Amino acid sequence: MTFEEMRDRIANGQGFIAALDQSGGSTPKALRGYGVEDNEWNGDDEMFGMIHEMRQRIIEAPCFGNGKVIGAILFEKTMEGESGGKSVPARLAERGIVPFLKVDKGLEEERDGVQLMKPNPGLEAMCARAKELGVFGTKMRSVIKSANPKGIRENVRQQFADGVRILTSGLVPILEPEYDITAADRAEGEKILLDELIAGLDTLHDDQQVIFKLSIPKEAGLYSDLIKHPKVLRVVALSGGYSTDEACSELAKNPGMIASFSRGLLQDLRKQQDDGEFDGTLSGAIDQIHAASVS
């Protein structure tokens, strides 16, 4: 796929984006969920080796290339690895799946009801390497924990500031200011977030587009104006701690918003499954998430 073909696939594809980007801190938990205990690996190299084997198995599963997965978000080590004898981004593109790269460096401590992203001085170099490998876009996550207007404004400002750095590097950013779904004031805070996101879009040039990855809103249809905005390529939803069933049920209430699930996609996969059982389990999750994304 060319870059423009990838853009069209993300803008118009009838499917969802798989999140395969668990990084250092979340990798042990992801491995335990996959049926790999902590005593089965020793040190970061073995840990990342095992998570890469899991991701290779997903990428190479017959159902993963059935057209329902239109994109995949990768951790840097996964991007630099191989699958099917090719670089992971090249193999994904070969299967009709647009590659993205997680580029944030983790979260700061909470302040003003939010967790901002840590500074990222090497962002441009990482984007250049990703572009060299055929990656289309990036993803970076920050967190909102309460309806604090000051914190939400700063959270969104940081997302757009780094987003412009990514756009200038020739990639398309996924901006992910996640709203904690357990927050008691989420309905109020998400309306503040929406206003700040629209204000952020006003700062972009007319030829610039971003993707938003957001918690499924408390108020169904809240993000419909974002979905239609000319500077928004797509609005995707994170599962945010919901089970697959819960996330799909909530997502289906928001037409035009598609999934970008991690836990919701992977929760029933196990290392101990044979290839047929693994593909069948993954296929069931893909079908369910796809149906919620195109409803």
Side-chain angles (χ1 to χ4, degrees):
M1 286 190 286
T2 66
F3 192 85
E4 286 308 314
E5 287 170 339
M6 290 184 184
R7 183 186 295 276
D8 180 70
R9 182 89 168 117
I10 294 301
N12 302 307
Q14 295 298 297
F16 68 95
I17 298 173
L20 305 178
D21 59 329
Q22 299 92 347
S23 54
S26 56
T27 299
K29 182 178 179 181
L31 283 172
R32 286 192 291 272
Y34 185 51
V36 177
E37 297 302 323
D38 294 356
N39 61 9
E40 294 183 56
W41 51 268
N42 183 28
D44 285 354
D45 287 346
E46 289 188 14
M47 178 184 73
F48 286 122
M50 286 191 168
I51 201 75
H52 188 65
E53 287 177 10
M54 181 189 83
R55 289 168 179 158
Q56 280 181 306
R57 198 176 184 195
I58 292 166
I59 292 167
E60 297 302 325
C63 66
F64 201 68
N66 65 8
K68 295 179 179 180
V69 179
I70 62 172
I73 304 168
L74 307 173
F75 176 50
E76 187 176 7
K77 285 183 178 291
T78 307
M79 178 187 75
E80 295 287 358
E82 292 189 353
S83 189
K86 299 183 177 182
S87 76
V88 169
R91 180 60 174 148
L92 287 170
E94 185 177 66
R95 306 208 75 193
I97 300 165
V98 177
F100 292 84
L101 174 66
K102 167 187 158 63
V103 294
D104 67 79
K105 297 299 183 182
L107 300 172
E108 300 275 20
E109 294 297 317
E110 182 179 343
R111 186 179 71 250
D112 296 326
V114 303
Q115 286 182 274
L116 299 178
M117 298 179 292
K118 291 180 178 177
N120 197 349
L123 180 59
E124 284 81 3
M126 189 183 298
C127 288
R129 175 58 178 161
K131 191 171 183 181
E132 181 183 323
L133 290 172
V135 168
F136 172 75
T138 65
K139 190 215 79 165
M140 48 191 178
R141 170 180 173 263
S142 50
V143 177
I144 301 168
K145 293 182 173 291
S146 70
N148 181 316
K150 178 183 177 184
I152 293 173
R153 186 176 302 114
E154 180 59 19
N155 191 306
V156 172
R157 185 210 64 77
Q158 184 193 46
Q159 284 279 348
F160 272 94
D162 281 2
V164 169
R165 293 169 67 191
I166 292 160
L167 286 163
T168 303
S169 298
L171 300 178
V172 176
I174 298 176
L175 310 184
E176 183 184 0
E178 174 183 349
Y179 210 112
D180 185 343
I181 63 170
T182 67
D185 59 3
R186 182 158 67 100
E188 175 190 354
E190 286 176 336
K191 290 177 181 177
I192 298 171
L193 173 61
L194 174 60
D195 289 342
E196 293 297 336
L197 293 176
I198 291 174
L201 289 169
D202 289 341
T203 68
L204 298 179
H205 298 306
D206 288 345
D207 61 347
Q208 292 178 321
Q209 286 184 308
V210 299
I211 300 166
F212 288 124
K213 181 170 179 176
L214 304 171
S215 302
I216 304 168
K218 190 81 170 175
E219 179 187 319
L222 179 68
Y223 296 132
S224 59
D225 285 346
L226 285 183
I227 291 166
K228 294 180 288 188
H229 199 289
K231 295 180 184 177
V232 177
L233 189 63
R234 205 79 193 246
V235 178
V236 304
L238 56 103
S239 48
Y242 285 129
S243 69
T244 307
D245 289 346
E246 291 169 329
C248 288
S249 175
E250 292 300 310
L251 178 60
K253 300 173 187 176
N254 293 271
M257 196 175 192
I258 66 171
S260 178
F261 293 172
S262 175
R263 175 182 170 179
L265 176 66
L266 310 178
Q267 68 177 23
D268 295 322
L269 299 178
R270 300 292 181 270
K271 180 183 178 182
Q272 295 79 10
Q273 294 166 335
D274 64 33
D275 289 347
E277 186 180 5
F278 183 91
D279 187 65
T281 301
L282 180 59
S283 180
I286 287 173
D287 288 349
Q288 183 179 7
I289 296 167
H290 176 265
S293 296
V294 302
S295 63

